[in-house]
């Protein structure tokens, strides 16, 4: 049996070239069978002259123990091989993320706000306007939330409170009723805003130019 075991142990050891130590350990564990068997026979021949009972029982005990030990070594090697193989599997490389500001991050593919993906954001045209607003060619975003009724192509931020597009003026993200976006502007040195018809405060129309 030993030549058969020897040839197979070479093939088995070759299988574990990923870890030379385990490969040599496997090879030795299998091929120790022959020298141990020879040593056991010599020892048993001498022992048999003194006590036949022990000499008969010894190989019956040692040979199964050796076989069990070899099986456990093979299992251990297989477990380590599986673990190392799994560790060596190439993991997909995640795109490197970079912080922009105001809660926005981006990688080569996506834009996120506070970790939430902006599904339809166009990374090539995405621009942060201030801590409230951002825009791209598709949408205008208020704290990361797309505001669908705002026109991104004509959107213009006036200050931290007011913005305009081609259709409306906005107080934060709310439409300023009756405001004319083309003439809407801040009245310098006051808390008021105006357009060609009305005066506004905190997003509400408070007077027209025809009123006292």
């Amino acid at each position: 049996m030993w030549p058969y075991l020897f040839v197979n142990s070479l093939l088995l050891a070759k299988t574990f070239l990923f870890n030379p130590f385990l490969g040599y350990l496997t090879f030795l564990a299998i091929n120790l069978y022959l020298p141990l068997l020879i040593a056991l026979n010599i020892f048993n021949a001498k022992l048999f002259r003194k006590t036949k009972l022990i000499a008969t029982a010894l190989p019956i005990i040692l040979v199964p123990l050796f076989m069990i030990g070899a099986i456990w070594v093979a299992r251990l090697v297989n477990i380590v091989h599986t673990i190392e193989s799994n560790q060596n599997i190439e993991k997909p490389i995640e795109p490197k993320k970079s912080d922009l500001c105001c809660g926005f991050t981006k990688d080569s593919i996506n834009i996120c706000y506070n970790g939430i993906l902006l599904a339809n954001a166009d990374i090539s045209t995405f621009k942060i306007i201030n801590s409230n607003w951002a825009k791209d060619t598709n949408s205008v975003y208020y704290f990361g939330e797309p505001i669908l009724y705002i026109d991104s192509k004509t959107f213009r931020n006036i200050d931290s409170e007011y913005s305009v597009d081609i259709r409306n003026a906005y107080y934060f993200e709310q439409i300023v009723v009756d405001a004319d976006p083309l003439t809407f502007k801040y009245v310098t040195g006051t808390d008021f805003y105006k357009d060609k018809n009305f005066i506004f405060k905190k997003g509400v129309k408070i007077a027209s130019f025809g009123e006292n």
Side-chain angles (χ1 to χ4, degrees):
M1 289 293 293
W2 185 78
Y4 172 79
L5 290 173
F6 177 76
V7 172
N8 280 277
S9 68
L10 290 175
L11 297 175
L12 185 60
K14 184 179 179 181
T15 304
F16 299 110
L17 287 178
F18 70 94
N19 190 320
F21 173 76
L22 288 177
Y24 294 138
L25 181 63
T26 306
F27 177 79
L28 290 174
I30 294 173
N31 288 284
L32 276 176
Y33 171 76
L34 180 62
L36 286 176
L37 187 59
I38 294 172
L40 179 61
N41 285 335
I42 295 172
F43 177 74
N44 235 32
K46 295 179 180 180
L47 185 63
F48 193 78
R49 298 190 187 100
K50 297 179 181 180
T51 169
K52 295 181 180 180
L53 180 61
I54 297 177
T56 303
L58 192 61
I60 296 174
I61 297 172
L62 291 182
V63 171
L65 286 176
F66 174 79
M67 294 177 65
I68 292 171
I71 291 172
W72 277 105
V73 169
R75 287 184 176 179
L76 174 63
V77 170
N78 186 51
I79 291 171
V80 174
H81 179 229
T82 302
I83 293 173
E84 293 198 5
S85 297
N86 291 337
Q87 289 177 344
N88 291 333
I89 294 175
E90 291 188 5
K91 297 179 180 179
I93 299 174
E94 294 184 0
K96 185 178 180 180
K97 292 184 178 180
S98 60
D99 292 333
L100 298 175
C101 83
C102 317
F104 289 98
T105 57
K106 74 171 184 175
D107 55 33
S108 59
I109 303 172
N110 299 309
I111 298 284
C112 295
Y113 180 73
N114 290 337
I116 299 174
L117 177 67
L118 303 184
N120 297 316
D122 179 57
I123 192 170
S124 63
T125 59
F126 190 85
K127 177 183 177 182
I128 297 173
I129 298 171
N130 57 28
S131 59
N132 298 349
W133 294 100
K135 64 176 284 188
D136 61 19
T137 192
N138 301 318
S139 302
V140 176
Y141 303 89
Y142 183 72
F143 287 106
E145 184 71 25
I147 308 300
L148 301 179
Y149 49 81
I150 297 180
D151 179 64
S152 66
K153 293 180 176 60
T154 58
F155 177 82
R156 178 172 59 87
N157 181 246
I158 296 175
D159 55 26
S160 61
E161 294 183 345
Y162 287 91
S163 305
V164 295
D165 66 6
I166 192 65
R167 295 187 290 264
N168 300 296
Y170 303 95
Y171 180 66
F172 297 109
E173 83 282 22
Q174 302 298 320
I175 296 174
V176 179
V177 178
D178 293 334
D180 174 53
L182 298 180
T183 59
F184 191 88
K185 64 181 180 179
Y186 171 63
V187 180
T188 305
T190 70
D191 293 330
F192 303 104
Y193 292 75
K194 70 175 185 177
D195 63 11
K196 64 181 181 179
N197 301 312
F198 303 105
I199 298 172
F200 302 87
K201 184 175 182 180
K202 295 189 181 299
V204 178
K205 179 178 65 176
I206 61 172
S208 68
F209 292 116
E211 297 175 352
N212 292 328

